[in-house]
Amino acid sequence: MDVFQQIEAANRCSTPLVYLVTPDPMEAMRKVGEAVKSKGTALYAWDAVRGCRAVNPKAKAKIWIEPGEASGDPLSLLLGAIADPQQGGGLPAKSILIAQNLSRHWDNALTTQAIWNLRDEFKKNSRTLLMIGPSIIGSVPEELKDDLIVLEEELPSEEVITAIIDDAAETAKVEFKQFLYPDETRKRAVSALRGLAAFPAEQVSFMAIREAGFDLEALWEHKRVAMERTPGISLARAKVKYADVGGCEAIKAAFRRRCAGPQPPSGIGRID
């Protein structure tokens, strides 16, 4: 069961508060829509600029808040989600409300309380507040720690990255007749893009297209920049060979044996 099937299951069993950490919130919203497509679940989305909007046909048939309303401060959104249905308000039963980057508003005590107030009301009839973002800004408020289910989407697998590179190569072959894409280049390109989210991996792969093939140095440069945005992590760029390192013969011999084995490492990390 992948993370998006878990979200559908969470809504089905009336789990009220869920946070999804995802490297690509927009793509995650699409995948949530796919996961609930055949389940009759109404799907709504909110962000601080566009306000609230219906995402799928089921939601468009159950308008509980005017499109674009509740932009800026999410407090009115959260209060409206549990408004009296008899007065035409309230998030409908069997629905998911996706709130992008809501953790940026957790420093407001009123917002935190409003989220907590959803818990018992949403649990009654399969309503879920799904908060999504690339990370949780700050720490989870004490009021929500025991009630919030946190899920994390994994970065794309090697198979997904390979498909992205192959797609870019097919496009390049149409544009450049002399474009070369041998297996070794494919393998090295995939290695360079592992660890990136799908969207930046796609953009970087197309940006690295040259008339004669992929610019592998450009791929690695984008990877380096992405890695070094994380404090404390850097990618060594010096091209040092074993022959350039004096001493440490036992360590070098151990690494040679490891790299010549059936499952050689794709990289070496150093902690100092």
Side-chain angles (χ1 to χ4, degrees):
M1 179 182 290
D2 68 20
V3 69
F4 300 102
Q5 292 171 321
Q6 291 182 56
I7 290 169
E8 188 280 320
N11 177 252
R12 182 163 23 92
C13 65
S14 294
T15 302
L17 305 176
V18 178
Y19 198 107
L20 173 64
V21 178
T22 170
D24 191 339
M26 191 61 70
E27 179 65 8
M29 287 176 57
R30 186 192 67 78
K31 290 179 179 178
V32 171
E34 288 294 319
V36 304
K37 190 174 182 179
S38 63
K39 307 298 182 180
T41 304
L43 188 63
Y44 303 87
W46 174 90
D47 66 56
V49 174
R50 291 178 290 183
C52 190
R53 62 195 186 279
V55 174
N56 63 2
K58 197 74 175 180
K60 291 175 182 177
K62 299 179 179 179
I63 299 297
W64 63 282
I65 188 170
E66 289 302 315
E69 196 172 328
S71 61
D73 187 354
L75 189 57
S76 59
L77 172 85
L78 300 170
L79 294 174
I82 53 173
D84 186 355
Q86 301 299 322
Q87 298 180 13
L91 188 70
K94 195 170 175 55
S95 60
I96 297 176
L97 173 57
I98 300 176
Q100 288 184 260
N101 299 315
L102 192 58
S103 64
R104 287 193 173 275
H105 301 267
W106 279 352
D107 58 348
N108 185 324
L110 296 178
T111 299
T112 301
Q113 183 65 51
I115 294 172
W116 188 87
N117 288 349
L118 302 180
R119 190 192 70 172
D120 290 352
E121 294 298 320
F122 275 20
K123 186 172 174 56
K124 292 176 182 177
N125 53 3
S126 298
R127 292 183 288 176
T128 300
L129 174 65
L130 174 61
M131 295 166 273
I132 66 172
S135 63
I136 295 179
I137 307 299
S139 58
V140 178
E142 289 294 331
E143 299 89 337
L144 301 177
K145 276 186 176 178
D146 295 329
D147 301 315
L148 183 65
I149 303 299
V150 178
L151 303 174
E152 185 168 358
E153 182 188 8
E154 295 182 354
L155 289 166
S157 64
E158 184 172 322
E159 290 74 18
V160 172
I161 294 295
T162 300
I164 290 172
I165 287 288
D166 287 348
D167 182 59
E170 289 302 314
T171 301
K173 288 176 183 177
V174 172
E175 186 172 354
F176 303 116
K177 300 303 180 183
Q178 65 271 42
F179 187 85
L180 299 177
Y181 187 49
D183 287 344
E184 182 61 24
T185 296
R186 185 189 196 211
K187 181 179 178 181
R188 292 174 65 188
V190 170
S191 176
L193 293 181
R194 283 294 303 272
L196 296 181
F199 184 80
E202 179 186 52
Q203 303 307 302
V204 167
S205 62
F206 277 90
M207 289 170 61
I209 291 174
R210 304 291 184 265
E211 289 189 17
F214 282 112
D215 184 342
L216 297 175
E217 290 293 329
L219 292 179
W220 273 107
E221 179 61 16
H222 285 288
K223 175 79 162 281
R224 180 192 66 78
V225 172
M227 290 177 65
E228 293 185 354
R229 286 203 299 265
T230 301
I233 294 180
S234 62
L235 183 64
R237 284 173 283 178
K239 297 180 179 179
V240 180
K241 299 178 180 180
Y242 275 167
D244 301 324
V245 180
C248 305
E249 296 303 326
I251 295 175
K252 290 193 288 186
F255 274 123
R256 287 194 183 96
R257 290 194 298 270
R258 183 70 179 86
C259 292
Q263 293 183 320
S266 58
I268 297 175
R270 185 182 72 203
I271 299 175
D272 59 18

